[in-house]
Amino acid sequence: MERFNHKFKIFIFVLISLFIQCGDKENNNDLILTLLVMPKTSGSNVGPCPPASLPTEIPVANTVVTANSTVNGFNNSTKAINGICGGGEFSGSLDVYALNLTGVGATLVLSWAGKTVKNVSGIDFIVYENPFRISESSDRYAFDPMVVHVSFNGTDYCGFDLSGFNPSVVDSNKISSWPGFAGLRPTIYNMATKPFTLDELFTTVNNDFLLGGGDGFDLNDLIVGGPGANCDAAARTFIQTNGFKFIRLVSASAVNNPNTGSGYVYPHSYDNGPDIDGVVAKSVE
């Protein structure tokens, strides 16, 4: 809850700052008081989500392989596999599993109950977290970056290119500073209140955003090695040819940046990492 409250405080601070800069003072005071008493959960708790059963036509990762989070109130790993309950562009869902910033609790491994995620055309899977945009006029987001690895055998994990990471603190809440990471784009998809078809979920709209939100990954973009990964060229080729069975999600702060020898830094003022809503594949067999 601390992590969500912090995001909400950032949102309120930005809105208050905007109101202070324009309009007459008396009206601004009324607006500020209204903002301060707004409910913190916005629309994220509206509707019966998670659903009683997962839609059969949406291949959601439905098995927890490894989960050791100690984040109080958000360490129920079933929240990562019980459906996608996005809160929209300006609100984060609370039906999530939160990772620790470092240590064994900073990693979550999921699977599709023995099925294989196939390498098909374009984006092959989407990772959903609970980030949100700070304001309609801003390109800044409240998010928790994470590193994504995939494996066929549960031992050899391949990752994606993170070399474009921008370490500038002033730009740390820009999506463009974190290429190759997940946990960046808001989750629009809500299985109860804003459903999409599988094709719609994998439809790209402006600026590399997906219609249902989340961060999409293409297996053709896998690299050999990479931060936190241990795959060689043979393992990468095998996954790109045959697909993968396991996905590993790790707090960016728990993965060593080869340029610094320490974790990828995001300026947290709270003590937990990414809040995982779920993962959807395009094709499994």
Side-chain angles (χ1 to χ4, degrees):
M1 186 63 72
E2 290 180 6
R3 177 238 194 283
F4 183 81
N5 285 344
H6 176 73
K7 279 186 176 180
F8 181 80
K9 290 173 184 175
I10 294 174
F11 175 65
I12 291 299
F13 175 78
V14 172
L15 288 180
I16 289 174
S17 298
L18 291 174
F19 283 123
I20 288 175
Q21 294 174 29
C22 60
D24 67 68
K25 184 174 181 181
E26 184 174 344
N27 288 339
N28 281 342
N29 288 339
D30 291 339
L31 287 168
I32 290 171
L33 287 173
T34 300
L35 286 170
L36 289 176
V37 298
M38 285 172 57
K40 291 180 180 160
T41 55
S42 186
S44 60
N45 281 347
V46 177
C49 202
S53 60
L54 296 175
T56 57
E57 70 278 12
I58 306 294
V60 179
N62 57 7
T63 304
V64 176
V65 179
T66 302
N68 297 288
S69 170
T70 59
V71 177
N72 186 38
F74 292 93
N75 59 2
N76 179 356
S77 60
T78 63
K79 298 291 187 180
I81 60 172
N82 67 351
I84 312 302
C85 299
E89 187 175 6
F90 300 101
S91 178
S93 170
L94 296 180
D95 186 70
V96 292
Y97 172 76
L99 298 177
N100 292 111
L101 287 173
T102 58
V104 295
T107 298
L108 173 69
V109 178
L110 303 176
S111 76
W112 282 257
K115 293 184 178 180
T116 300
V117 177
K118 305 302 291 184
N119 185 1
V120 292
S121 176
I123 292 172
D124 298 303
F125 64 93
I126 305 169
V127 178
Y128 296 98
E129 206 250 0
N130 74 343
F132 60 83
R133 191 176 174 189
I134 297 300
S135 73
E136 290 187 9
S137 61
S138 176
D139 63 350
R140 307 286 176 144
Y141 291 78
F143 53 58
D144 288 296
M146 56 183 154
V147 175
V148 178
H149 301 138
V150 295
S151 173
F152 183 84
N153 58 13
T155 301
D156 302 312
Y157 279 91
C158 296
F160 298 85
D161 184 10
L162 308 181
S163 62
F165 169 67
N166 177 7
S168 169
V169 173
V170 70
D171 292 325
S172 61
N173 59 354
K174 284 187 174 183
I175 290 175
S176 59
S177 293
W178 298 85
F181 291 79
L184 310 179
R185 295 167 178 81
T187 298
I188 310 302
Y189 182 32
N190 185 298
M191 288 183 169
T193 62
K194 199 169 184 64
F196 291 92
T197 65
L198 186 63
D199 285 343
E200 287 173 338
L201 290 177
F202 285 85
T203 298
T204 301
V205 290
N206 57 322
N207 297 322
D208 293 326
F209 282 73
L210 293 167
L211 191 60
D215 298 291
F217 292 83
D218 185 341
L219 291 179
N220 289 330
D221 294 331
L222 286 173
I223 64 173
V224 173
N230 64 336
C231 83
D232 56 18
R236 179 185 65 174
T237 299
F238 188 91
I239 291 173
Q240 290 177 332
T241 302
N242 301 286
F244 71 90
K245 293 180 180 291
F246 304 94
I247 182 166
R248 184 168 69 189
L249 305 173
V250 189
S251 296
S253 51
V255 176
N256 278 343
N257 179 346
N259 295 322
T260 65
S262 58
Y264 288 90
V265 177
Y266 182 78
H268 294 87
S269 60
Y270 38 89
D271 58 3
N272 60 275
D275 302 318
I276 299 166
D277 202 346
V279 184
V280 170
K282 183 185 287 186
S283 176
V284 298
E285 66 176 32

